[in-house]
Amino acid sequence: MSSAFETGVRLKFIERVNPQLHAVIALNPHALADARALDAERKAGKVRGPLHGVPILLKDNIESADDTATTAGSLALKDNVTGRDAPLVKRLTDAGMVILGKTNLSEWANIRSSHSISGWSAVGGTVRNPYVLDRSACGSSSGSGAAVAAGLAPAAIGTETDGSITCPAAINGLVGLKPTVGLVSRTHIVPISHSQDTAGPMTRTVTDAALILTAIAGSDPADPATREADARKTDYAKGLSKDALKGVTLAVARFYTGYSPGTDAVFEQALTDLKAQGATLVEVKTFDEGPIGKAEGVVLYTELKVDLNAYLASTDPAKVKTRTLADLIAFNKATPKELEWFGQESFEKAEATKGYDDPEYIKAVADGKRLAGPEGIDRILKETGAVAIVAPTTGPAWTIDPLNGDHYGGSSTTLPAVAGYPHLTVPMGQVGGLPVGLSFIGPAWSEARLLNLGYAYEQATHRRVEPKFLPTVAP
């Protein structure tokens, strides 16, 4: 199949299905021309690699030089056409991928309010889960998850600060990988936190996630966190083995169960499947995440103010009138559509923070990293002799509720998010027709190992089921 043909088919499918899902926020006007150029390259004997001509969607907080705006879902950025490619986008196009367009998201990557509706943005509306349309697609990479699950694109890029790749991937029946912070550049991505932000792939298969991670990983002089990336990256798809679970020890995070009985039942089956593939399981019953969550809040609010102000300062003042977080707060107050369903108390908390010299912030950064990393994931792995932790990613999708916000049960996202360590989710089954995912969590720079473990599990179980676009879940 030619790239132009597939791109055309996907664009028509988006036109037909997206009004039901609100998963795509903008289309790249050059997508077909880009695909035709790649077809001409192939015809001339130049193939850039396994991703040559493959279409992909980008979360709409990632800049691309294709005349689309980068809005983060906010009306304040509706004209933010920067003409810049984020380095990860340049890596995708250098690998031969076709940028189809931008996906909807939880506005400002879900940091504006603790009462938000996952998947809602003032620009794009509310993303719907293609498995059951009155259910959440989870945030903040909701559009990326729903779009790939529904077949609008074979892959998408999401971003995560805490759960924003892994939750929507799990809830939409996908593979999602949050890489080690620093493996993938964050330059020209609308930020929350330089301590925790990262972009990563959301795909239907582990192999596709590995291929895309191989393309986007690498150092970027403009992002100091990535200084080790070139030395750490590898060909993540090379050597994926169905036997990768044989003889390995995995730590079972029992402290991430109990919030969803249906998910727990599917997780028990997943553990049986892991043992059947030769893995040894060691139970870890308790872990106190409370102090980590407290430290994380201080870090995220402090960094949001400084990092977002720096991003806004980098945009064109003729196109983006809001130059600071304080300006955004004022803009939202003056724009009824922005505050129609929930407020901006998280923005206001961030605005009240005191910057990077604040002793409370300095302590919170150190405490969070230490408690989640060396005294968290690293300690669990050392004490159990395990190479990775396994857990349910999160429960099944909850009902979209604009009046009360999200009904979020629990998840295994915070430890790897605060530590800055990699987290892979792979489909492990369904609860009442709604997908749930199995998490593989490892130490820093262990993406190759996690992808291998996930690949072996995926190939042994094949738990992914296509969505049916059901209107609701009924007894």
Side-chain angles (χ1 to χ4, degrees):
M1 185 192 305
S2 78
S3 176
F5 179 79
E6 182 179 1
T7 299
V9 167
R10 301 280 185 178
L11 290 170
K12 285 178 182 174
F13 193 51
I14 290 169
E15 193 178 313
R16 181 160 66 86
V17 175
N18 196 57
Q20 200 174 15
L21 292 180
H22 304 288
V24 176
I25 215 167
L27 292 173
N28 172 11
H30 314 296
L32 265 176
D34 294 344
R36 290 189 184 108
L38 287 161
D39 283 341
E41 279 188 18
R42 185 183 292 275
K43 193 173 179 182
K46 180 184 176 184
V47 178
R48 302 190 187 197
L51 297 173
H52 188 109
V54 176
I56 190 167
L57 286 160
L58 306 172
K59 185 176 178 180
D60 192 30
N61 58 351
I62 302 169
E63 294 187 11
S64 53
D66 53 19
D67 299 322
T68 59
T70 301
T71 72
S74 171
L75 294 169
L77 297 188
K78 67 182 176 60
D79 299 319
N80 185 35
V81 180
T82 67
R84 304 185 295 207
D85 266 338
L88 80 84
V89 176
K90 178 72 162 54
R91 287 177 176 272
L92 290 170
T93 54
D94 284 350
M97 298 201 83
V98 178
I99 308 300
L100 280 180
K102 302 285 187 64
T103 58
N104 199 3
L105 68 163
S106 305
E107 186 172 310
W108 296 112
N110 227 7
I111 191 68
R112 203 187 79 189
S113 169
S114 56
H115 302 288
S116 65
I117 311 161
S118 278
W120 178 89
S121 74
V123 174
T126 306
V127 181
R128 307 238 160 215
N129 190 309
Y131 286 86
V132 180
L133 294 168
D134 68 354
R135 296 274 164 162
S136 177
C138 196
S140 64
S141 307
S142 48
S144 295
V148 176
L152 306 188
I157 300 295
T159 66
E160 175 161 331
T161 306
D162 186 341
S164 289
I165 290 171
T166 45
C167 179
I171 271 178
N172 288 281
L174 300 177
V175 174
L177 177 67
K178 181 200 87 75
T180 303
V181 172
L183 183 62
V184 177
S185 168
R186 289 88 52 87
T187 300
H188 302 329
I189 299 176
V190 182
I192 291 177
S193 157
H194 66 266
S195 290
Q196 293 183 209
D197 289 353
T198 184
M202 300 170 72
T203 61
R204 291 179 164 218
T205 69
V206 174
T207 299
D208 287 349
L211 289 169
I212 291 170
L213 183 64
T214 302
I216 63 176
S219 300
D220 166 22
D223 183 354
T226 65
R227 62 187 174 274
E228 287 187 62
D230 280 349
R232 296 284 190 173
K233 71 177 183 178
T234 185
D235 183 342
Y236 295 99
K238 188 178 181 181
L240 288 176
S241 170
K242 293 180 181 181
D243 298 323
L245 287 162
K246 284 184 180 173
V248 303
T249 299
L250 301 172
V252 179
R254 287 289 172 196
F255 53 90
Y256 281 137
T257 63
Y259 53 82
S260 168
T263 305
D264 289 348
V266 177
F267 182 53
E268 290 307 316
Q269 179 58 55
L271 296 179
T272 299
D273 294 333
L274 292 168
K275 284 190 282 188
Q277 294 306 304
T280 299
L281 306 181
V282 180
E283 301 272 332
V284 182
K285 291 187 167 58
T286 59
F287 185 89
D288 181 10
E289 254 190 15
I292 296 171
K294 185 179 177 184
E296 180 185 29
V298 174
V299 172
L300 297 193
Y301 289 135
T302 304
E303 293 186 358
L304 172 66
K305 180 180 179 180
V306 181
D307 294 356
L308 188 53
N309 283 351
Y311 174 80
L312 292 169
S314 81
T315 62
D316 183 346
K319 296 175 181 176
V320 180
K321 306 296 185 188
T322 49
R323 309 306 296 164
T324 63
L325 178 59
D327 290 346
L328 289 173
I329 291 169
F331 174 89
N332 290 337
K333 286 177 180 174
T335 310
K337 187 174 181 181
E338 285 289 352
L339 301 182
E340 182 179 10
W341 296 112
F342 55 88
Q344 56 179 340
E345 71 279 1
S346 297
F347 266 15
E348 289 162 351
K349 277 185 188 176
E351 179 58 28
T353 58
K354 301 171 185 173
Y356 294 161
D357 295 329
D358 181 7
E360 185 186 11
Y361 165 74
I362 294 167
K363 183 176 186 300
V365 171
D367 287 351
K369 291 289 183 196
R370 173 177 49 81
L371 292 169
E375 295 178 18
I377 293 170
D378 296 335
R379 181 177 63 80
I380 289 170
L381 296 177
K382 185 177 180 182
E383 290 179 356
T384 58
V387 298
I389 298 168
V390 292
T393 308
T394 190
W398 55 91
T399 310
I400 296 168
D401 185 349
L403 297 179
N404 298 303
D406 288 345
H407 308 295
Y408 189 61
S411 77
S412 57
T413 64
T414 295
L415 265 180
V418 176
Y421 290 1
H423 180 182
L424 173 73
T425 183
V426 179
M428 72 171 179
Q430 294 196 331
V431 176
L434 290 161
V436 288
L438 176 66
S439 284
F440 295 87
I441 298 164
W445 314 110
S446 63
E447 285 81 1
R449 167 79 81 164
L450 297 185
L451 287 161
N452 235 321
L453 297 173
Y455 178 79
Y457 172 76
E458 170 196 64
Q459 295 301 304
T461 59
H462 296 286
R463 297 286 188 227
R464 185 174 186 278
V465 177
E466 289 291 327
K468 294 180 179 176
F469 294 79
L470 299 175
T472 191
V473 175

